[in-house]
Amino acid sequence: MASLPTIRFKENSYKPLQHANEVLMITREDLRQLADFECRANEYAISFYFQPGVPKDKSHREEGIQAKELVRKTIQELQQNGRSAKAIQDLERILRIAEALHGNEGFAKVVFSCAERNLWREFDVPPVQLSTRLFVNRRFHLKPLAALFSEYPKLWVALVDRQSARVLEVEFGEIRQQMSITNPIPRHGRSDGFGGYDGGHAQRHKEDEVRRHYRELAEFLKNGDQRRLFDAVVLGCNDVNWPELQAQLHPDVAKKALGHFSGEIAAMPDERAVSEALRVAQATLRKHHSSLLGETLDEARAHRRGVTGLRRVLRALELGEIDTLLMSQDYSARAVECTNCRHLDSHLVAYCPVCGHATRELEDVCEVLVPIAVRNNLGLVLLPRDETIDKVGNIAALLRFRADRNTNQLRAAS
Ligand SMILES: [Zn+2]
């Protein structure tokens, strides 16, 4: 089965963005802190992604050579600029790391640094759509990491039998218990009553208690969903209990349920339950993402809770309508950003249509979109490129709501 990827936090010799605690894995909070970062004038945010091959293998040498050339070239460019001695020091340090990595146990290396702000963060991440890249920009390049979070969503695992339930949260190998309840079934035996009538009554009473128990769990999941505490849920229960349990799930929770696995969960260790859940999750996730795209496109066609194409996505973003952003993995597009009000525009205009200030060109709008998605806790789904998403410009969004627009506006927008 696919094992849970662990992202290890290797080294932290400079001050991290906020917390100085020893973190071993990258968390959403790390990603959020990186998403918050933005350079001031004459500062450089360096993002380095490096996927080393195994030692002695040809691709390792090629990747290594490619990485070193990439870094050297960037150093030369910065030297010509003349005002970035600190950034060059960081790049030289990155170069030494790239030279020293041999295999790295199959992990990819990711470094974020901004020397002017005394920031250096280094992670080992499982290889997910990673190629060796180096970015020197105003913000950190987070899309590959965001893809990782998309592929391994914050998962709740709800383990249920007829009288106990526990919910575990799983995020990159870390398991945290969210709740644990026991609702013992009352010991009503047939001897409690007189004959068949009371016996049946006791049985019904028992079933009511079990249903109440399921409902308590369902309520907990519903609240968790409303507070956006998880992206997906997998349930573990005995197959015979599944239909009844499933019937109690709130529709919104049911939508996020990636499936269930069978087992005697009371005796099942957390680790075992989590690996079962991940197996179910990964099998379902791909299907789930593509149906999410289908739903978005249907909604967009009906001018309801969906938009497609960069222009309309940016507009929905500014209106605060977006629930989930969907794009192809390799999506990239030029855009401009207002230096004053931060308006984003897919038309490469020199002045902001909202406030009139000068704009700044973005080589890739994802440099801004991904941090916004991370900061605002929006869903972010990266899909393999195919005909369906290609047809709509490789970017779309499922909306939480659609701000009131009159019919003319709708026509104009389409
Ligand atoms: Zn503006």
Side-chain angles (χ1 to χ4, degrees), residues 162-207:
R162 285 166 63 83
Q163 44 189 338
S164 72
R166 62 190 203 273
V167 174
L168 308 171
E169 180 182 276
V170 190
E171 205 175 10
F172 293 127
E174 219 177 324
I175 303 171
R176 288 178 289 264
Q177 186 167 292
Q178 294 293 312
M179 70 94 93
S180 176
I181 49 167
T182 312
N183 289 311
I185 300 172
R187 290 171 168 275
H188 287 296
R190 283 182 188 276
S191 58
D192 288 348
F194 296 98
Y197 172 76
D198 280 0
H201 176 78
Q203 187 57 34
R204 276 196 303 280
H205 180 65
K206 211 183 251 186
E207 293 308 314

Side-chain angles (χ1 to χ4, degrees), residues 338 340-343 352 354-357:
C338 173
N340 177 52
C341 74
R342 298 310 173 98
H343 166 73
C352 174
V354 178
C355 75
H357 281 73

Side-chain angles (χ1 to χ4, degrees), residues 177-378:
Q177 186 167 292
Q178 294 293 312
M179 70 94 93
S180 176
I181 49 167
T182 312
N183 289 311
I185 300 172
R187 290 171 168 275
H188 287 296
R190 283 182 188 276
S191 58
D192 288 348
F194 296 98
Y197 172 76
D198 280 0
H201 176 78
Q203 187 57 34
R204 276 196 303 280
H205 180 65
K206 211 183 251 186
E207 293 308 314
D208 284 347
E209 289 299 316
V210 171
R211 209 168 299 124
R212 220 191 312 276
H213 166 64
Y214 290 158
R215 222 176 288 141
E216 192 178 336
L217 171 79
E219 192 64 22
F220 182 82
L221 295 177
K222 189 184 115 192
N223 289 334
D225 174 57
Q226 280 169 350
R227 294 163 59 201
R228 301 183 74 106
L229 297 180
F230 61 91
D231 303 320
V233 60
V234 171
L235 295 108
C237 69
N238 216 313
D239 272 342
V240 291
N241 299 329
W242 174 238
E244 205 180 340
L245 173 64
Q246 196 179 19
Q248 297 298 334
L249 296 179
H250 188 272
D252 290 343
V253 173
K255 257 195 215 167
K256 290 192 173 173
L258 298 181
H260 86 283
F261 62 91
S262 184
E264 293 299 334
I265 64 96
M268 193 181 282
D270 286 353
E271 289 72 19
R272 169 76 206 292
V274 162
S275 62
E276 285 287 320
L278 281 167
R279 186 179 50 77
V280 172
Q282 289 177 356
T284 315
L285 217 53
R286 179 160 282 218
K287 262 190 260 169
H288 179 68
H289 285 170
S290 92
S291 76
L292 207 57
L293 178 66
E295 183 188 348
T296 305
L297 301 187
D298 287 347
E299 291 289 319
R301 269 190 291 270
H303 304 298
R304 291 190 310 244
R305 293 183 312 108
V307 285
T308 57
L310 182 60
R311 189 170 62 88
R312 276 168 282 189
V313 166
L314 291 180
R315 180 156 179 253
L317 187 72
E318 286 182 347
L319 291 169
E321 294 172 335
I322 294 184
D323 177 89
T324 301
L325 202 55
L326 302 103
M327 56 176 103
S328 61
Q329 278 150 359
D330 57 353
Y331 177 72
S332 166
R334 284 176 179 273
V336 294
E337 168 190 40
C338 173
T339 52
N340 177 52
C341 74
R342 298 310 173 98
H343 166 73
L344 292 169
D345 211 303
S346 58
H347 299 291
L348 305 182
V349 288
Y351 295 97
C352 174
V354 178
C355 75
H357 281 73
T359 61
R360 163 169 54 225
E361 195 172 328
L362 301 167
E363 237 174 83
D364 180 4
V365 71
C366 295
E367 299 293 343
V368 178
L369 274 186
V370 172
I372 290 177
V374 170
R375 281 203 305 272
N376 294 297
N377 213 11
L378 308 182

Side-chain angles (χ1 to χ4, degrees), residues 21-86:
N21 53 348
E22 278 286 305
V23 211
L24 291 172
M25 298 164 287
I26 188 167
T27 62
R28 249 158 239 269
E29 188 49 35
D30 293 321
L31 187 66
R32 203 182 305 277
Q33 287 181 22
L34 292 166
D36 272 338
F37 184 82
E38 193 180 337
C39 284
R40 296 177 293 230
N42 300 317
E43 293 179 347
Y44 297 89
I46 297 171
S47 313
F48 179 63
Y49 287 83
F50 180 47
Q51 176 63 66
V54 291
K56 287 177 194 161
D57 124 328
K58 194 161 163 268
S59 73
H60 165 63
R61 285 203 301 275
E62 281 168 4
E63 279 288 338
I65 291 164
Q66 195 200 342
K68 278 177 260 177
E69 277 174 1
L70 204 58
V71 179
R72 282 205 193 96
K73 204 175 122 232
T74 310
I75 290 176
Q76 279 169 8
E77 282 167 14
L78 286 177
Q79 275 166 342
Q80 283 162 9
N81 177 303
R83 296 176 72 177
S84 43
K86 282 188 157 185

